[in-house]
Amino acid sequence: MKELMPVVGDDDCFLFVNNDTTFEPNYVETLISSSHNHPDAVIGSVLRDAEPPHALLSIGPICDFWRMGGYEKLNAVTRKDKLNPLEVFEVDALPGRGTLYPIRIVRKIGLMRPWLLSHYYADYEYAARAKRIG
């Protein structure tokens, strides 16, 4: 990120994807489209089972950072929304398994902090920082 920041344009994005993540061929196009529809948002991905019928497994966390706890947002949505998810769910953090950060947001929140959280929860902290600025 540090090396790319000087050369990226205002309309560019960073896409965080874990090395064990799989996705559909139109995945990036879908994220970019969603980003255009919600220009000031960090766009995360839902987690689905790899096996048919590809059940929805995770939307994202609702966090209590002070108590180091929280719960999965999926557990708080209606059955209807589980079967036919909304385009947007608000969560407190987003994992690195598929999250799109517009450069204009990255410029506001800064880079990741590997000295603080080198691996686990660094993605949650980064997303929570973005949420704090709106």
Side-chain angles (χ1 to χ4, degrees), residues 2 23 41 59 81 88-89 113 118 128:
K2 193 183 303 184
F23 42 85
I59 294 171
D81 287 342
V88 174
F89 287 96
R113 300 173 176 160
S118 60

Side-chain angles (χ1 to χ4, degrees), residues 16 58-65 68-72 91-97 99 101 112 117 119-132:
F16 295 175
S58 174
I59 294 171
I62 301 300
C63 300
D64 182 344
F65 289 106
M68 293 301 289
Y71 64 91
E72 167 59 50
V91 295
D92 290 333
L94 294 165
R97 69 173 171 257
T99 304
Y101 284 88
M112 295 188 94
L117 297 162
H119 181 68
Y120 294 105
Y121 299 110
D123 48 1
Y124 279 20
E125 185 277 331
Y126 198 63
R129 216 179 328 151
K131 184 173 183 178
R132 275 196 305 274

Side-chain angles (χ1 to χ4, degrees), residues 6-63:
V7 298
V8 294
D10 290 340
D11 293 329
D12 289 328
C13 300
F14 282 118
L15 175 58
F16 295 175
V17 181
N18 285 358
N19 64 349
D20 61 349
T21 302
T22 60
F23 42 85
E24 297 294 319
N26 65 343
Y27 173 71
V28 174
E29 180 182 328
T30 300
L31 285 177
I32 297 293
S33 175
S34 188
S35 184
H36 286 241
N37 292 337
H38 307 279
D40 293 326
V42 173
I43 307 295
S45 301
V46 298
L47 176 63
R48 292 186 172 276
D49 191 338
E51 300 297 320
H54 309 293
L56 190 58
L57 301 175
S58 174
I59 294 171
I62 301 300
C63 300

Side-chain angles (χ1 to χ4, degrees), residues 103-117:
I103 291 302
R104 64 189 168 280
I105 302 299
V106 173
R107 287 190 174 127
K108 288 180 183 178
I109 64 174
L111 301 177
M112 295 188 94
R113 300 173 176 160
W115 63 92
L116 179 64
L117 297 162

